[in-house]
Amino acid sequence: MHPRIIEVTERLIARSRPTRERYLAMIREAAGKGPQRGKLQCANFAHGVAGCGGEDKQRLRLMDAANVAIVTAYNDMLSAHQPYEHYPERIRQALRGVGSVGQVAGGVPAMCDGVTQGEPGMELGIASREVIAMSTAVALSHNMFDAAVFLGVCDKIVPGLMMGALRFGHLPTLFIPAGPMPSGLSNKEKADVRQRYAEGKATRDELLESEMAAYHAPGTCTFYGTANTNQMLMEMMGLHLPGASFVNPGTPLRDALTEEAARQVTRLTRQAGNFTPIGELIDERVLVNSIVALHATGGSTNHTLHMPAIAQAAGIQLTWQDMADLSEVVPTLAHVYPNGKADINHFHAAGGVAFLVRELLDAGLMHEDVNTVAGRGLRRYTREPFLEDGRIAWRDGPAKSLDENILRPVSNPFSPEGGLRVMEGNLGRGVMKVSAVAAEHQVVEAPARVFHDQQALADAFAAGELERDMVAVMRFQGPRCNGMPELHKMTPFLGVLQDRGFKVALVTDGRMSGASGKIPAAIHVCPEAYDGGPLARVRDGDIIRVDGRAGTLRVLVDADAFAAREPAPIQHNAEVGCGREMFAFMRAAFSTAEQGASAFTSSLENLK
């Protein structure tokens, strides 16, 4: 094992010991009670099975049959989740084939950032993760279940499902993906049309045609944003079947994997004698593996919020510094858009997860001796699924990359380090994804231009006011102010300015999309402006230095003069409209971005 991997793992274990021990005691107490439905009052049990067919009812009266909760994020407005429409019945049939039962325990909401991007609904994004976690808890609260499977793919959905599942950590759990849509118009061509539209060089009809050619079918969007990063991480954490993440929807192999996942989760139950609850499976080593994979693939910056929140739900205290220290020694092995030109289907064809796991294990960069839903040992995930005479089987994945423009071995990485940098200085602490930023753009020192919403930046661009070197400061976008919406709407405008030869950077207490790319962006800055953070004292014209190489974020103003400034008055419009007023209580409870921007942090800290 690489000494840095050992070092970070050991300090994570030491730091987390009090909360982790309390967490494990909680889930072990729940597990020790055995199948809960056997202890329900007769009327309670009757309610729980009233909707079942006669055969399922009889099975549920026998404690040696497993009852599997199905928690689904299905809706047919999200292309990534539309394939889930018929999964519950497929899962139920597979379970009946092994003498078990499946019940849809509940549904969780699933919003699409792609639809709400730049709209008021985007301000519900982080709050939706917390709602999903709570909805998961409600679904599992009936105590009727011996195991659970989760149907979810996209941005806040998988983290929310994980947070809820870990609070029921005594249940064996398996996540079932739906897969990416087939490749359409390339992401690079789509981005080019967006920039031309921002410059007035493409019509709205041309833009719409481009977007619909890129997002054209059921399945996950094909770029390597938060949704596909979720899928990568679920597999690297051993919560998917090996090789399941990036098989396209509607294919025989996809259906076979879904059915096998249903059967496999029953093999992890106490009844089967191989009890593997998710709360025991997800430990400090598994979380370190997930962060290593995040860096090696240049994954979404949103996971600097999600992974600490997920870890906290399992009683583990993961920090940005842990993530950054791992980034220093983990090479970048994948270039998938926005870090490269390829999409996730090309990555999968080039060797995908199986090749990546083999490379990282062989280099001593991941813990091999961990539990997974496929059995003990992460080496199992160097295999790929195939159909043989209609039945699923696994074979060794490729030992060599089939396209080193997309996926490389540790011996020939795209970069010797991962893509994450913790940014720190007199403007606070934030993060930057440098893997998608060209080396010549990673350091910018320029006058600030302060904005309080994305439309103001778009208007300034249209008026020709931004034709110069500039650090755009987008403040009052943090979790406690307006729910921390993604700010991807700015990307085309800033990209145009960079292409025109100007030095451009972004500093914000908000989020960028998992698809954020070539502009150096110090994001998630905390303390946020709403809480009086330093960003609230920045003025137009202040010189700001954003240094992605050194990891520094500074305003070059006399310290005493800067400290003496009155913070700008709070500016946000999250009070009413589009349901935002319903989430005011949650915004007030949100932790800092570094703590996961979670409403649950303070309550989970009571585990100490």
Side-chain angles (χ1 to χ4, degrees):
M1 290 292 295
H2 191 289
R4 180 65 61 82
I5 307 300
I6 295 171
E7 174 196 341
V8 172
T9 305
E10 288 180 347
R11 78 179 184 217
L12 183 56
I13 291 170
R15 182 192 310 128
S16 307
R17 187 165 287 115
T19 48
R20 181 64 176 170
E21 287 177 354
R22 288 285 301 277
Y23 172 79
L24 290 174
M26 178 187 75
I27 67 169
R28 286 167 183 168
E29 180 183 7
K33 296 176 181 177
Q36 297 296 301
R37 69 181 186 278
K39 297 180 175 63
L40 292 177
Q41 298 291 327
C42 292
N44 300 51
F45 179 83
H47 274 288
V49 302
C52 295
E55 187 176 344
D56 284 350
K57 282 184 182 179
Q58 184 58 34
R59 283 191 177 130
L60 290 176
R61 295 179 69 172
L62 305 174
M63 293 306 108
D64 58 351
N67 188 26
V68 178
I70 304 167
V71 180
T72 178
Y74 161 73
N75 66 49
D76 59 14
M77 190 275 298
L78 273 72
S79 64
H81 288 182
Q82 187 276 339
Y84 283 137
E85 181 174 8
H86 302 295
Y87 272 40
E89 184 54 29
R90 186 175 293 278
I91 291 166
R92 282 192 288 260
Q93 291 294 346
L95 289 169
R96 288 179 185 130
V98 293
S100 294
V101 177
Q103 290 183 295
V104 173
V108 303
M111 63 176 283
C112 180
D113 292 5
V115 176
T116 59
Q117 197 69 252
E119 300 294 325
M122 185 73 252
E123 295 181 5
L124 306 186
I126 289 292
S128 79
R129 183 191 69 185
E130 315 298 272
V131 172
I132 291 162
M134 292 189 290
S135 300
T136 300
V138 171
L140 298 177
S141 67
H142 298 97
N143 279 335
M144 284 283 295
F145 308 109
D146 306 291
V149 294
F150 291 89
L151 311 182
V153 173
C154 286
D155 295 15
K156 266 62 71 183
I157 295 100
V158 166
L161 289 171
M162 276 290 289
M163 291 162 68
L166 284 165
R167 303 316 294 171
F168 286 77
H170 61 287
L171 293 177
T173 294
L174 201 152
F175 279 68
I176 303 180
M181 67 178 68
S183 300
L185 182 74
S186 78
N187 289 290
K188 176 66 167 61
E189 291 175 283
K190 174 194 68 182
D192 288 345
V193 175
R194 285 180 178 177
Q195 286 206 180
R196 289 196 295 108
Y197 179 74
E199 295 178 277
K201 297 178 180 178
T203 67
R204 183 173 176 83
D205 283 345
E206 288 173 320
L207 177 65
L208 181 59
E209 183 177 351
S210 165
E211 298 290 343
M212 293 188 73
Y215 307 120
H216 64 97
T220 314
C221 307
T222 59
F223 61 84
Y224 194 50
T226 310
N228 282 320
T229 305
N230 282 340
Q231 303 313 296
M232 170 75 70
L233 294 180
M234 289 299 98
E235 188 162 342
M236 289 291 191
M237 294 167 81
L239 292 174
H240 282 176
L241 290 181
S245 295
F246 302 121
V247 175
N248 300 124
T251 60
L253 181 56
R254 175 85 276 157
D255 292 343
L257 283 164
T258 299
E259 293 163 6
E260 181 61 18
R263 291 187 288 265
Q264 182 62 22
V265 80
T266 68
R267 300 178 187 125
L268 306 179
T269 61
R270 191 178 297 280
Q271 291 94 324
N274 186 32
F275 187 50
T276 310
I278 186 175
E280 304 269 6
L281 187 155
I282 298 297
D283 62 14
E284 294 87 349
R285 295 166 303 163
V286 169
L287 286 171
V288 166
N289 283 351
S290 73
I291 304 305
V292 168
L294 181 69
H295 295 322
T297 57
S300 167
T301 54
N302 280 327
H303 287 87
T304 62
L305 302 173
H306 298 323
M307 293 312 298
I310 289 169
Q312 183 73 242
I316 299 171
Q317 311 300 322
L318 180 71
T319 69
W320 280 354
Q321 196 59 55
D322 296 329
M323 300 174 79
D325 288 349
L326 291 169
S327 181
E328 290 180 357
V329 301
V330 175
T332 300
L333 303 183
H335 264 190
V336 184
Y337 189 87
N339 303 338
K341 296 181 180 179
D343 70 21
I344 201 66
N345 293 310
H346 304 140
F347 166 83
H348 185 62
V353 174
F355 174 82
L356 196 67
V357 171
R358 177 178 285 108
E359 284 296 308
L360 293 170
L361 284 176
D362 289 350
L365 292 169
M366 296 182 85
H367 295 279
E368 183 172 349
D369 187 26
V370 294
N371 262 327
T372 78
V373 297
R376 189 78 183 179
L378 192 61
R379 186 75 56 176
R380 294 171 181 269
Y381 285 75
T382 63
R383 299 181 301 168
E384 294 181 326
F386 294 88
L387 288 178
E388 295 179 356
D389 299 324
R391 298 177 64 85
I392 198 161
W394 275 267
R395 307 175 196 159
D396 288 342
K400 293 184 179 180
S401 170
L402 303 181
D403 188 340
E404 290 201 8
N405 293 313
I406 301 169
L407 186 58
R408 291 187 178 180
V410 170
S411 60
N412 181 34
F414 290 101
S415 168
E417 62 163 336
L420 181 71
R421 193 82 79 241
V422 171
M423 305 292 289
E424 191 166 15
N426 61 3
L427 286 178
R429 280 170 62 85
V431 296
M432 180 187 286
K433 178 180 176 180
V434 295
S435 56
V437 180
E440 63 270 23
H441 297 309
Q442 291 179 7
V443 180
V444 173
E445 184 176 310
R449 177 68 189 267
V450 180
F451 301 96
H452 296 144
D453 63 63
Q454 296 185 90
Q455 189 57 49
L457 185 145
D459 292 343
F461 177 89
E465 298 173 7
L466 306 183
E467 300 286 320
R468 55 183 174 82
D469 293 352
M470 173 191 68
V471 175
V473 175
M474 185 67 64
R475 64 191 180 193
F476 298 110
Q477 303 296 319
R480 284 169 47 77
C481 186
N482 65 350
M484 208 179 192
E486 286 186 344
L487 303 173
H488 191 44
K489 184 176 180 179
M490 298 183 295
T491 301
F493 304 109
L494 297 176
V496 167
L497 294 172
Q498 188 182 80
D499 289 349
R500 290 177 180 172
F502 298 111
K503 291 185 176 297
V504 181
L506 171 69
V507 178
T508 180
D509 48 9
R511 296 185 294 132
M512 289 295 284
S513 167
S516 58
K518 64 185 183 180
I519 302 300
I523 62 176
H524 305 176
V525 174
C526 52
E528 61 178 284
Y530 181 84
D531 288 331
L535 288 186
R537 297 197 295 276
V538 174
R539 295 176 181 169
D540 283 344
D542 287 347
I543 302 301
I544 291 178
R545 182 174 177 85
V546 180
D547 189 335
R549 295 178 195 150
T552 56
L553 176 64
R554 300 189 58 81
V555 58
L556 305 184
V557 174
D558 175 77
D560 291 337
F562 188 70
R565 289 181 182 174
E566 283 293 318
I570 294 170
Q571 300 197 30
H572 66 106
N573 60 351
E575 299 296 336
V576 295
C578 203
R580 289 174 291 181
E581 62 277 10
M582 300 175 70
F583 293 87
F585 77 98
M586 193 173 283
R587 290 193 298 272
F590 278 146
S591 63
T592 67
E594 188 160 10
Q595 294 175 302
S598 176
F600 306 138
T601 299
S602 60
S603 60
L604 295 182
E605 282 180 346
N606 291 333
L607 285 169
K608 292 179 179 178

